[in-house]
Amino acid sequence: MPVRPIPQIGDPVLRKPTAPVDPGSAGSDEVQALITDLIDTMTHANGSGIAANQIGVSLAVCVIGVSKNPRYPYKPPIPLTVLINPEITLLDDEQWLNNEGCLSVPLRGNLPRFMNIEVSAIDRHGEPFTQVYRGLTAGTVQHEVDHLNGGLIVDRMEDSRSMTTWENFATHGMGEYLDRIAPVIARTEPKVDADG
Ligand code: ZN
């Protein structure tokens, strides 16, 4: 059963902070099966990331990955990455205003994210690593780490009037949003030449 049901806002499992994984058990069958289910469920739902409590498992494991995603066509690519026990260090205090959706929340809305972060985590093979993330990808990582801490996007929305359905966002919000994030992407993503 690799594609698992995704609990929705109001399910207590989303509000309970997840437990760290014993680093020595990252390679266990249990954790490896969890990682496989996370990847399969995220891919099936066209998510850009998913946290273990979003498939009902209260462990500090999440996955991020974007490759030509129809749900988030504006997101820069992210290599498929498993983050076990991720911890975020802010590299500065700069923030930007994102608009996010969530596989566990039917609406989307505006919320601030930090621009530049460093993440320390354990990878799917049990090896520690650190990685700097910027811009939209940093936002995706912060979103997943919020999940692992029992948070949801609605907690960070400073103006509930920005909340929309996906359909209404596409009609009324996407144009302004793309203008808003263009400079963020330009600053934080490697340049791709016109022939590329
Ligand atoms: Zn989410």
Side-chain angles (χ1 to χ4, degrees), residues 74 98-99 108 136 169 173-181:
Y74 50 82
N98 198 13
N99 182 289
R108 51 185 300 161
L136 266 68
F169 182 75
M174 183 67 91
E176 185 226 341
Y177 173 66
L178 293 179
D179 288 345
R180 193 165 87 215
I181 63 172

Side-chain angles (χ1 to χ4, degrees), residues 18-28 31-32 34-35 38 52 59-64 81-87 119-129 145 148:
T18 56
V21 174
D22 171 4
S25 73
S28 67
V31 173
Q32 291 298 309
L34 169 63
I35 291 168
L38 284 169
L59 284 173
V61 181
C62 63
V63 174
I64 56 172
T81 306
V82 175
L83 302 168
I84 300 173
N85 301 343
E87 299 214 358
V119 175
S120 299
I122 297 169
D123 70 15
R124 69 180 306 175
H125 308 293
E127 299 297 326
F129 74 102
V145 172
L148 298 179

Side-chain angles (χ1 to χ4, degrees), residues 49-51 54 101-105 143-144 147 151-153:
I50 194 167
Q54 287 185 282
C102 177
L103 297 175
S104 295
V105 179
H143 180 117
E144 299 314 326
H147 275 301
L152 289 170
I153 50 175

